[in-house]
């Protein structure tokens, strides 16, 4: 299992990790790439990486759906981050062809930080 480390810089951040994933996959062969992040307050998403306003809008929408300042039972103060993490999910499957991620033209892979800044891990496995 390959691993990528991502140091996020703020509490909430959509970090484009497409190039980090591609670099980790250098010399790998297979048909599918499985990505998994072993954390409870971040997530993984695929969406547009051409216009940064798209990820900004997605983050805004998540903040409207799950506001930070709400009365939650979880007393650690980061209940919103756990919920947003559950909404985005912790894993992705991406087609892999000819040694390259077979993403769509406008797609990128994002680590969604909801309770940073922290150092996050993303495990990467190539399935044959
Ligand atoms: Zn917590």
């Amino acid at each position: 299992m390959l691993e990528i480390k991502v140091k996020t810089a703020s509490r909430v951040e959509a970090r484009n990790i497409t190039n980090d994933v591609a670099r980790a996959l250098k010399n790998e062969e297979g048909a599918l790439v499985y990505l998994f992040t072993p954390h409870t307050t971040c997530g993984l998403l695929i969406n547009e990486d051409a216009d940064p306003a798209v990820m900004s809008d997605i983050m805004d929408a998540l903040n409207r759906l799950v506001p930070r300042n709400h009365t939650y039972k979880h007393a650690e103060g980061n209940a919103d981050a756990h919920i947003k993490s559950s909404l985005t999910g912790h894993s992705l499957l991406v087609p892999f062809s000819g040694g390259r991620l077979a993403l769509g033209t406008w797609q990128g892979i994002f680590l969604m930080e909801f309770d940073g800044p922290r150092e996050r891990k993303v495990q990467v496995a190539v399935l044959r």
Side-chain angles (χ1 to χ4, degrees):
M1 182 84 78
L2 307 163
E3 187 175 271
I4 296 167
K5 288 198 166 94
V6 182
K7 272 193 178 149
T8 58
S10 54
R11 180 167 197 267
V12 168
E13 179 181 348
R15 172 72 68 86
N16 190 332
I17 61 166
T18 314
N19 291 336
D20 306 274
V21 175
R23 219 172 291 124
L25 292 168
K26 204 176 168 195
N27 305 320
E28 295 291 325
E29 287 177 24
L32 270 179
V33 173
Y34 177 68
L35 303 173
F36 177 79
T37 188
H39 306 283
T40 60
T41 55
C42 71
L44 293 170
L45 271 190
I46 292 176
N47 214 295
E48 177 167 337
D49 76 352
D51 180 2
V54 172
M55 291 316 295
S56 178
D57 286 342
I58 289 172
M59 210 48 111
D60 286 349
L62 287 169
N63 286 331
R64 282 196 307 277
L65 278 172
V66 188
R68 186 176 185 185
N69 296 317
H70 177 78
T71 305
Y72 298 103
K73 290 176 182 155
H74 180 54
E76 203 184 13
N78 63 355
D80 66 309
H82 289 289
I83 296 166
K84 289 167 188 159
S85 165
S86 298
L87 290 173
T88 55
H90 299 94
S91 64
L92 293 172
L93 272 178
V94 185
F96 193 59
S97 176
R100 300 186 54 157
L101 294 163
L103 290 164
T105 307
W106 307 109
Q107 289 181 322
I109 301 170
F110 293 84
L111 179 119
M112 304 296 285
E113 176 63 82
F114 301 119
D115 194 28
R118 296 185 193 225
E119 183 170 287
R120 302 299 197 172
K121 292 177 202 160
V122 179
Q123 294 161 359
V124 182
V126 183
L127 313 177
R128 285 161 201 278

